[in-house]
Amino acid sequence: MSQISALPAIIREAGTIAMSYFKNLQSLAISKKTPRDLVTEADIAVERFLQRALRDAYPDYGFWGEESGQNADQRNRWIVDPIDGTHSFAKGQYFWSISVALELAGELTVGAVYVPTVDDLYYAVRGQGATKNSEPIHVSDEPRLSDAMIATGFACVRQNRPDNNLERFCRIALRTMGQRRFGSAAMDICMVADGQVDAFWEQSLNLYDVAAGALIAQEAGATVTDFQGRPGVFPDQILVTNGKLLDQLLPLM
């Protein structure tokens, strides 16, 4: 996929735009899409830039962005979350990212997740492995759930869903050494790919939250399944592990 060589530069430029807003949060315009779901002018500005830049560089592909929805060809498309972790962004926290994936005929083919606050760029092309800042990455070798660090999120709580992950979190937390909740699913999944976290799960997400990270994790050796262990990218139930923990986590899901 050498023809996608412009993507790293494009997503880094999107990060520069996002950081210009992040450094001036006192003047950031924030609104609510739902009572618990924020959108900022930064989300909109970053998505508009990515839509324009990706269209100019790759005119044959459609676009699906969190803020603007779907347009043009949806068989071959970019899947974009301009700021994954908007609440963290608006609070001045570091835990947010920009996520861009390319899906061709239903198959995730390229993924890029950029964390501007720490200048980490995760990148993968199907069949070519995964990198962070151009260096190869791989999942951890942790074999024991009792020694593992796990991460999760609570989009389901924000959506007032009765299956809200709280009991599931408590079950798993009691059986693990460390737990983290960063607030950006795209970044969380990349941290599994990089071996910083041994497993991640969440529910009630959208494809643009997880598409790029899922490909990066798979290329780094991770398993990506639903809560029943079926392989694939299921945003409503996504479980990403280093492989060695999968069988230990599935009964707790």
Side-chain angles (χ1 to χ4, degrees):
M1 296 294 293
S2 59
Q3 69 268 31
I4 307 299
S5 58
L7 179 55
I10 289 172
I11 199 170
R12 282 187 180 277
E13 188 170 350
T16 299
I17 294 169
M19 286 299 292
S20 69
Y21 288 92
F22 188 69
K23 293 175 180 177
N24 294 281
L25 290 177
Q26 68 279 2
S27 60
L28 184 70
I30 303 173
S31 58
K32 291 184 177 181
K33 292 187 284 188
T34 70
R36 294 185 177 183
D37 198 3
L38 303 180
V39 61
T40 74
E41 60 181 322
D43 294 83
I44 295 169
V46 171
E47 183 163 314
R48 284 176 177 168
F49 164 77
L50 285 169
Q51 186 171 17
R52 182 175 64 253
L54 292 169
R55 182 188 61 228
D56 290 348
Y58 309 106
D60 294 334
Y61 301 140
F63 187 89
W64 178 17
E66 178 178 8
E67 309 307 335
S68 61
Q70 302 180 3
N71 61 32
D73 176 18
Q74 291 296 304
R75 178 174 169 80
N76 300 301
R77 61 184 180 178
W78 296 104
I79 303 172
V80 171
D81 192 336
I83 297 180
D84 185 52
T86 297
H87 199 188
S88 297
F89 180 95
K91 285 289 189 180
Q93 299 170 1
Y94 292 166
F95 308 118
W96 53 275
S97 61
I98 300 169
S99 177
V100 179
L102 177 62
E103 183 183 60
L104 300 179
E107 181 175 70
L108 295 173
T109 306
V110 180
V113 174
Y114 183 45
V115 187
T117 53
V118 293
D119 194 26
D120 280 344
L121 175 58
Y122 298 90
Y123 189 76
V125 176
R126 180 168 295 279
Q128 298 184 23
T131 62
K132 181 176 79 172
N133 300 330
S134 301
E135 295 295 325
I137 57 174
H138 200 273
V139 295
S140 75
D141 292 322
E142 180 54 61
R144 292 167 55 89
L145 187 61
S146 59
D147 292 332
M149 177 176 287
I150 53 89
T152 190
F154 295 92
C156 45
V157 173
R158 190 172 70 243
Q159 296 176 25
N160 293 312
R161 290 186 56 166
D163 179 14
N164 59 25
N165 197 35
L166 295 175
E167 291 184 4
R168 185 174 294 111
F169 172 74
C170 290
R171 284 197 300 271
I172 296 171
L174 290 170
R175 292 167 171 82
T176 54
M177 182 174 287
Q179 307 83 34
R180 298 292 184 269
R181 191 270 197 252
F182 294 110
S184 167
M187 189 182 77
D188 289 331
I189 295 171
C190 287
M191 293 176 78
V192 178
D194 194 28
Q196 298 179 52
V197 173
D198 303 307
F200 165 80
W201 80 94
E202 194 166 351
Q203 59 202 89
S204 308
L205 295 172
N206 291 287
L207 186 58
Y208 46 72
D209 297 307
V210 300
L215 178 63
I216 292 165
Q218 288 172 332
E219 288 295 317
T223 60
V224 180
T225 71
D226 67 4
F227 292 176
Q228 289 74 49
R230 295 179 297 175
V233 182
F234 302 99
D236 197 52
Q237 289 187 347
I238 186 165
L239 171 62
V240 184
T241 84
N242 67 355
K244 297 183 178 181
L245 299 179
L246 177 61
D247 290 343
Q248 298 169 65
L249 279 167
L250 283 176
L252 302 173
M253 287 289 114

